[in-house]
Amino acid sequence: MRKKALITGASRGIGKAAAYALAKDGWDLFLVCKSAKEALLKVREELENKYGICCGAMVCDVSDAGQVEEALRKAGEIHALINNAAVSYVGLLTDMTPEEWHRVIDTNLSSLFYTCRLAVPQMVHRKAGKIINVSSVWGNAGASMEVAYSASKGGVNSFTKALAKELAPSNIQVNAVAFGVIDTDMNACFSREEMAALEEEIPAGRMGRAQEAGEIIRQLINAPDYLTGQIITMDGGWL
């Protein structure tokens, strides 16, 4: 039986790139995203046609525990879980509404609880599994004007380390990647001038590519079982 991975936020960006990276390795996939149904179905069609894999797809708001439960039920048996879905908020903390705060925290952090609590039991039963959480350098260092996002990703890092310790006796590896600036739609809120100034701060001289992000996720899934509880930083030497 071929292995299957569930990827959240898979219609674009890092999630989509991770899907392509795993499909090349022959993984079956179950992809979810919040609202971009047409884009998600296009990704599914491309992967099935190009790589001959089985690929399920479903619109799912990962901040909603009920929707996540339905998605995990439809996905069936999974051997890897990639928690990638996230939203950002750029602005002063004092300008945030409670609803905007909860939207960031629930999408970026609570979703990990919703997915893992359902995926972990089957992994424990098999004594095998991989969980990869997509984090950010702001979870390590914090960013002005992105307090909620930074707090959510700091929570992702702690969640990763703690769950890794909990699941290590069951031979399940839990790791995260703290990405720097990756060229995805999430950065569309910044002007060309702002992005150019940011690139000048990065020793590598450029933003990371989504394909590079997908590749490091693939490598972590294929990494030795002794690698767990780690927050791998991939930021071009920025921070």
Side-chain angles (χ1 to χ4, degrees):
M1 183 182 68
R2 293 196 304 198
K3 292 185 176 181
K4 182 191 296 182
L6 186 149
I7 306 175
T8 69
S11 65
R12 61 181 185 172
I14 293 173
K16 178 180 176 180
Y20 274 82
L22 292 185
K24 290 179 183 177
D25 279 354
W27 282 70
D28 288 335
L29 301 170
F30 192 89
L31 311 178
V32 303
C33 74
K34 182 179 180 179
S35 58
K37 182 177 181 180
E38 184 175 336
L40 187 70
L41 295 179
K42 183 178 180 180
V43 172
R44 181 185 69 177
E45 182 180 5
E46 290 176 352
L47 293 174
E48 288 183 333
N49 290 340
K50 187 171 184 178
Y51 299 109
I53 65 164
C54 294
C55 185
M58 175 183 170
V59 172
C60 171
D61 181 353
V62 295
S63 70
D64 185 311
Q67 292 188 38
V68 172
E69 186 170 352
E70 181 181 359
L72 268 291
R73 179 181 59 80
K74 289 186 176 180
E77 187 173 13
I78 61 172
H79 304 82
L81 170 63
I82 301 171
N83 287 305
N84 165 70
V87 295
S88 64
Y89 175 95
V90 179
L92 294 171
L93 177 70
T94 50
D95 289 339
M96 285 193 82
T97 65
E99 292 75 20
E100 289 168 332
W101 172 269
H102 286 296
R103 173 175 171 264
V104 173
I105 299 299
D106 289 347
T107 302
N108 298 2
L109 180 57
S110 298
S111 61
L112 273 63
F113 165 64
Y114 300 149
T115 58
C116 288
R117 76 183 186 94
L118 297 171
V120 162
Q122 56 174 281
M123 293 181 178
V124 170
H125 179 73
R126 289 194 308 267
K127 297 292 184 181
K130 303 279 187 176
I131 298 173
I132 309 295
N133 299 320
V134 173
S135 188
S136 166
V137 292
W138 295 144
N140 300 334
S144 175
M145 305 287 285
E146 294 190 62
V147 173
Y149 183 80
S150 299
S152 70
K153 293 304 186 178
V156 168
N157 293 349
S158 294
F159 182 101
T160 298
K161 293 177 181 179
L163 187 61
K165 293 178 179 179
E166 191 170 312
L167 298 180
S170 298
N171 192 38
I172 299 165
Q173 293 74 49
V174 188
N175 293 291
V177 186
F179 288 110
V181 185
I182 305 298
D183 189 10
T184 66
D185 291 345
M186 183 175 283
N187 296 313
C189 59
F190 299 106
S191 69
R192 181 174 299 178
E193 291 75 16
E194 289 171 329
M195 292 307 302
L198 183 56
E199 288 179 342
E200 289 182 0
E201 298 178 9
I202 301 171
R206 63 174 177 85
M207 292 184 285
R209 294 184 288 270
Q211 291 80 5
E212 293 173 309
E215 176 59 21
I216 194 65
I217 290 172
R218 185 193 72 82
Q219 290 181 18
L220 275 178
I221 286 180
N222 292 318
D225 292 349
Y226 204 59
L227 181 68
T228 192
Q230 303 305 303
I231 313 299
I232 310 298
T233 298
M234 183 176 179
D235 66 356
W238 185 26
L239 297 180

